[in-house]
Amino acid sequence: MKIRVESKIDIPRALAKIDNDAFWTEAATEWWRLISPYTPMRTGALWESVSIRPKEIEYEQPYAARMYNNKFNFRKDKHPRATNKWDAAARPAQEAKLISALQRYIDSGRIKLND
């Protein structure tokens, strides 16, 4: 017995609704939250001075690139996992959490895939 199933879902249209500034700003905000424990912190200026835009987290302190690119002996009293290249260090432990958070965002209905 053969069964034929046809899909009337416009996949490119649905994906285009997900690929928007609101979704990617949510993704960047969530990623910033998840990588925060890996971000070096002494006074909090580096961690607090960020601009979040779609697909982008910008640390605004003049010394941010130096902290990111060089291996220093970071203090661990405020952020015990603090390290350089904090996004890469966080990825193994936090990537699945990011994916789950973005799936919840989609499932919440804030993106209308059926319109």
Side-chain angles (χ1 to χ4, degrees):
M1 169 194 251
K2 289 185 180 181
I3 297 175
R4 181 176 176 168
V5 177
E6 284 188 42
S7 174
K8 303 273 186 203
I9 300 170
D10 186 350
I11 300 296
R13 184 170 176 243
L15 289 175
K17 290 181 180 184
I18 294 171
D19 192 14
N20 64 47
D21 285 352
F23 177 80
W24 290 114
T25 299
E26 179 73 17
T29 301
E30 184 64 16
W31 189 235
W32 173 78
R33 187 186 71 74
L34 290 168
I35 66 175
S36 288
Y38 298 82
T39 307
M41 179 186 268
R42 186 172 66 195
T43 65
L46 176 66
W47 177 72
E48 292 172 345
S49 301
V50 297
S51 291
I52 296 177
R53 293 180 285 281
K55 301 183 184 181
E56 185 176 312
I57 302 167
E58 180 183 2
Y59 291 84
E60 298 173 339
Q61 290 299 318
Y63 60 88
R66 194 166 30 100
M67 295 290 106
Y68 185 83
N69 291 312
N70 296 297
K71 187 137 180 95
F72 293 110
N73 188 15
F74 294 111
R75 292 176 56 173
K76 306 287 187 181
D77 55 332
K78 296 180 183 171
H79 283 176
R81 298 183 201 123
T83 186
N84 66 321
K85 300 186 182 187
W86 47 89
D87 58 332
R91 188 174 182 183
Q94 305 293 33
E95 185 176 34
K97 293 176 186 175
L98 175 64
I99 292 167
S100 293
L102 295 178
Q103 185 62 57
R104 283 192 306 275
Y105 180 84
I106 293 167
D107 293 345
S108 73
R110 288 184 268 180
I111 297 175
K112 304 294 184 200
L113 297 177
N114 297 329
D115 291 346

